[in-house]
Amino acid sequence: QVQLVESGGGLVQAGGSLRLSCAASGRTFSTYAMAWFRQAPGKEREFVAALTWRSGLIYYGDSVKGRFTISKDNAKNMVYLQMNSLKPEDTAIYSCAANDKIGLLYDSRAYDYWGQGTQVTVSS
């Protein structure tokens, strides 16, 4: 099993930046991919970014390309999401996810483990 804990959310003005962190613990040696998803009230869960743990392949959702950066620290078993040029429409609960099998990296159904989520609010 893998446990995930997010941190770093908060309130920022439009144009500002935040860095989210996801700490993984447990049997992390079997992790294939980790990702960030977000969900705003009344909206479907949206893919933000993902990476494959061993090969380091990276994918972004269209709405965040050029603004967000996903990265990892192998020694610390952590994944980060650097968010720049934030917009009010980025307001959502951001959740970290992980899986231990090959699947569609942009599909939330491919992930077996989820963190509790962290709130990001961007004011205009």
Side-chain angles (χ1 to χ4, degrees), residues 35-98:
W36 291 95
F37 290 82
R38 67 186 185 185
Q39 188 166 26
K43 303 292 185 179
E44 294 185 355
R45 184 181 294 110
E46 179 185 18
F47 172 73
V48 177
L51 60 81
T52 56
W53 191 258
R54 297 186 185 276
S55 64
L57 298 177
I58 294 176
Y59 303 87
Y60 294 101
D62 289 341
S63 63
V64 306
K65 287 180 179 177
R67 299 189 298 124
F68 292 9
T69 303
I70 188 172
S71 61
K72 64 182 176 70
D73 187 324
N74 297 73
K76 297 181 179 180
N77 288 319
M78 296 193 70
V79 172
Y80 307 95
L81 185 69
Q82 178 66 46
M83 305 184 295
N84 299 325
S85 301
L86 284 163
K87 306 174 182 179
E89 50 262 46
D90 294 318
T91 296
I93 295 176
Y94 285 71
S95 298
C96 181

Side-chain angles (χ1 to χ4, degrees), residues 5 12 17-18 26-28 38 42 44 62 65-66 71 81 91 102 105-106 110-111 118 123:
V5 179
V12 298
S17 299
L18 281 175
R27 298 186 180 276
T28 57
R38 67 186 185 185
E44 294 185 355
D62 289 341
K65 287 180 179 177
S71 61
L81 185 69
T91 296
I102 297 175
L105 299 184
Y106 52 81
Y111 294 87
T118 185
S123 62

